[in-house]
Amino acid sequence: MSLKVEKTDNTNEVKLEFTVEAEKFEKAIKNVYTQNAKYFNIPGFRKGKAPYQMVEKTYGVEVFYEDAFNEVASEVYDAGIKEKELDVVSKPEIDIVQMEKGKELIFTAIVQTKPEVKLGKYKGVEIKKIEYKVTDEDVEKELTSMTEKNARLVPITDEAVIDGDITVIDFEGFVDGEAFDGGKAEGHELTIGSKSFIPGFEDQIIGMKVEEEKDINVKFPDEYFSDDLAGKDALFKVKLHEVKRKEMPEINDELAKDVSEFDTLEELKTSIKEKQEKANESKAKHETENEAINAVCEVTEIDIPSGMIELEIDNMLKDMEGRLRYQGMSMEQYLQMVGKTVEDFRTENKETAEKSVKTRLVIEAVAKDANIEVSEEEISEKIKEMAEMYGKQEDEVKDNPELIKYVTDSLKAEKTVAFIVENVKVK
């Protein structure tokens, strides 16, 4: 195999031309034939037993080309990238120049490479001080939340519905006098004020009493996920069956005993404040890191290749698909529900992806410029921590090269971010 490398007119882009020996391509064709012979059915031969020459004659010499090319191209491409020490950051754009039996296989691959990072001033950049104080109001709000979680639900039989009540209703919806799919339910539980229904629906439940029936008129939002209903006027026939109302416990020492390990309300308040202060410290630390990195990014010049951004969006899609699967939903179902396409997702997330890529490149560049390294002891300690977390022996994970690289990169990034924060000027 021989390889030529030349720069294209585009920044951070090269064109690779691979020439593969005819014998190597021929061998790949024979391998493909061996793997797929069982699928060929030729008169006069038992299925899968026809010789190569007969299969070639019957189906054409090109029948194995595509699979043979994929087998050879993948191998020589990876070897070529390694040989030329290219840091490729995009999918290759392949073009076959020559692919004939008995001749050299020639193909080109246009790829984008990692861009140069022109670091600006990363020591002494100015950011605003970020801090969050815990107020008495914050503590009281958490106490109120605790009382709501411990509230009793009291049936209401002779009073009208008020905001915050939990109701059980039957309903059926009509548009232009016709019932529509998904517009009917029985025994549906609806909390008034939750804004989980069409705007205006819950407001019209207020004032109803148990066993009362009512016609409710609403309008579907213009941006509703169902095009058939978007912007349409609708009438819902509603019957109210049950009303429950929260009865809140008093905020006192007894509540503290019921909802915590403390005996007094003051002890509970102190604990709440300490937890909120810890959460605020974590939030301020995270936001300070983001501000510091953003400040360095603003003074750094990078011409980010488009392919790098596209790969980042690919990863975002994979992450989202994983989260949706965990929730029992496919990507197709989600997109249909929100009325969008994969291309919409890619377009909407392009700016976020570009920012993410730039942040990663800046952190790598600062680490290199500042000679930030990770020790073997730090890696070993992190591996041990991960092994304990996942219930495995340390030996089971420490010999995994991919895991070692992930841990090393993660630790280096963490140390670099800490270094950047340590060197900012807080206004």
Side-chain angles (χ1 to χ4, degrees):
M1 183 269 289
S2 64
L3 171 60
K4 296 178 185 176
V5 182
E6 62 181 51
K7 289 186 175 294
T8 71
D9 293 335
N10 298 322
T11 308
N12 303 313
E13 186 177 85
V14 294
K15 181 179 181 180
L16 314 175
E17 183 179 277
F18 296 87
T19 301
V20 181
E21 302 85 350
E23 295 79 7
K24 187 178 183 69
F25 184 54
E26 180 70 20
K27 183 179 178 181
I29 290 175
K30 295 291 179 63
N31 286 341
V32 172
Y33 158 73
T34 301
Q35 295 164 12
N36 294 278
K38 60 185 176 182
Y39 300 115
F40 293 101
N41 191 7
I42 296 177
F45 298 91
R46 283 186 298 151
K47 188 174 182 179
K49 297 299 182 180
Y52 168 77
Q53 291 80 1
M54 186 57 69
V55 173
E56 183 182 74
K57 182 178 179 181
T58 304
Y59 290 93
V61 69
E62 300 87 0
V63 66
F64 301 116
Y65 278 11
E66 183 177 350
D67 289 340
F69 173 81
N70 290 336
E71 182 178 306
V72 172
S74 177
E75 178 188 338
V76 300
Y77 173 82
D78 291 341
I81 295 300
K82 187 175 181 180
E83 176 192 328
K84 299 298 182 181
E85 298 182 340
L86 296 173
D87 200 345
V88 175
V89 295
S90 69
K91 295 177 182 176
E93 185 181 317
I94 302 292
D95 182 45
I96 299 172
V97 178
Q98 176 175 284
M99 185 166 62
E100 297 179 37
K101 187 177 180 181
K103 293 185 178 181
E104 293 174 326
L105 170 66
I106 304 173
F107 69 96
T108 62
I110 295 177
V111 296
Q112 294 173 326
T113 56
K114 202 168 189 176
E116 177 188 2
V117 178
K118 296 179 181 177
L119 274 174
K121 176 184 176 183
Y122 63 84
K123 287 185 178 180
V125 293
E126 292 188 347
I127 65 170
K128 291 182 179 179
K129 184 175 182 178
I130 299 173
E131 62 179 346
Y132 296 95
K133 296 185 181 297
V134 178
T135 65
D136 291 342
E137 184 181 346
D138 294 328
V139 175
E140 291 299 326
K141 187 176 180 180
E142 179 60 24
L143 276 173
T144 300
S145 176
M146 287 181 168
T147 61
E148 288 179 348
K149 290 175 183 176
N150 286 270
R152 289 194 312 123
L153 288 178
V154 180
I156 303 297
T157 57
D158 57 354
E159 294 181 33
V161 174
I162 61 174
D163 192 26
D165 282 349
I166 299 170
T167 64
V168 176
I169 60 174
D170 295 341
F171 63 83
E172 184 171 15
F174 300 84
V175 170
D176 297 329
E178 297 289 332
F180 56 87
D181 290 341
K184 183 177 181 180
E186 294 181 355
H188 180 79
E189 187 172 279
L190 176 65
T191 299
I192 306 304
S194 64
K195 297 182 180 178
S196 58
F197 223 95
I198 304 164
F201 185 94
E202 293 172 30
D203 294 340
Q204 295 178 65
I205 299 290
I206 293 174
M208 290 181 67
K209 291 186 176 181
V210 172
E211 298 306 322
E212 183 179 343
E213 296 183 21
K214 185 177 182 179
D215 287 350
I216 289 178
N217 292 287
V218 293
K219 182 178 181 179
F220 282 97
D222 292 334
E223 300 299 321
Y224 198 64
F225 71 89
S226 171
D227 292 337
D228 292 338
L229 299 175
K232 297 285 184 67
D233 291 321
L235 179 145
F236 282 86
K237 292 186 175 295
V238 178
K239 183 172 182 178
L240 176 63
H241 290 293
E242 295 179 41
V243 180
K244 295 177 183 178
R245 190 170 296 163
K246 288 182 179 180
E247 187 178 85
M248 310 290 277
E250 289 186 38
I251 299 178
N252 53 26
D253 290 346
E254 290 304 313
L255 174 69
K257 292 176 183 177
D258 288 340
V259 302
S260 71
E261 70 271 28
F262 302 107
D263 293 326
T264 68
L265 182 60
E266 285 307 309
E267 287 176 314
L268 176 58
K269 285 183 176 181
T270 299
S271 174
I272 290 172
K273 186 173 183 178
E274 289 173 351
K275 288 178 180 177
Q276 290 183 336
E277 286 174 341
K278 188 174 181 181
N280 282 351
E281 286 174 10
S282 178
K283 181 181 179 182
K285 178 178 180 291
H286 178 69
E287 292 184 7
T288 297
E289 289 173 347
N290 284 340
E291 286 297 313
I293 294 168
N294 288 340
V296 177
C297 284
E298 285 178 7
V299 295
T300 300
E301 294 181 25
I302 314 176
D303 188 358
I304 301 175
S306 59
M308 207 170 187
I309 297 170
E310 292 303 316
L311 284 176
E312 184 68 17
I313 298 174
D314 288 345
N315 291 331
M316 293 170 71
L317 270 167
K318 288 177 185 176
D319 288 344
M320 187 168 186
E321 285 173 347
R323 292 196 302 271
L324 289 170
R325 275 197 304 271
Y326 183 76
Q327 297 170 18
M329 184 184 298
S330 69
M331 189 68 174
E332 291 74 20
Q333 289 170 326
Y334 169 77
L335 290 171
Q336 185 177 13
M337 184 178 72
V338 298
K340 293 183 179 179
T341 65
V342 172
E343 283 309 309
D344 291 334
F345 179 92
R346 301 189 74 88
T347 301
E348 291 171 3
N349 287 278
K350 185 175 181 180
E351 187 176 334
T352 301
E354 185 172 1
K355 183 178 180 181
S356 178
V357 171
K358 185 171 185 179
T359 297
R360 189 164 63 246
L361 290 172
V362 165
I363 290 173
E364 288 177 3
V366 171
K368 183 177 180 180
D369 193 71
N371 295 314
I372 294 174
E373 297 295 339
V374 179
S375 68
E376 292 295 329
E377 291 76 14
E378 289 172 316
I379 296 171
S380 179
E381 185 61 31
K382 188 65 176 180
I383 291 291
K384 183 179 179 181
E385 181 185 314
M386 292 177 71
E388 291 175 355
M389 183 184 301
Y390 294 106
K392 294 182 178 292
Q393 296 296 319
E394 189 175 349
D395 290 341
E396 293 182 64
V397 294
K398 71 178 183 180
D399 294 328
N400 184 329
E402 290 184 4
L403 180 62
I404 296 298
K405 184 179 185 309
Y406 169 77
V407 169
T408 303
D409 291 345
S410 297
L411 288 173
K412 184 178 284 190
E414 287 176 15
K415 292 179 75 172
T416 305
V417 170
F419 173 82
I420 291 171
V421 172
E422 285 169 7
N423 286 278
V424 299
K425 287 183 179 179
V426 180
K427 292 189 287 185

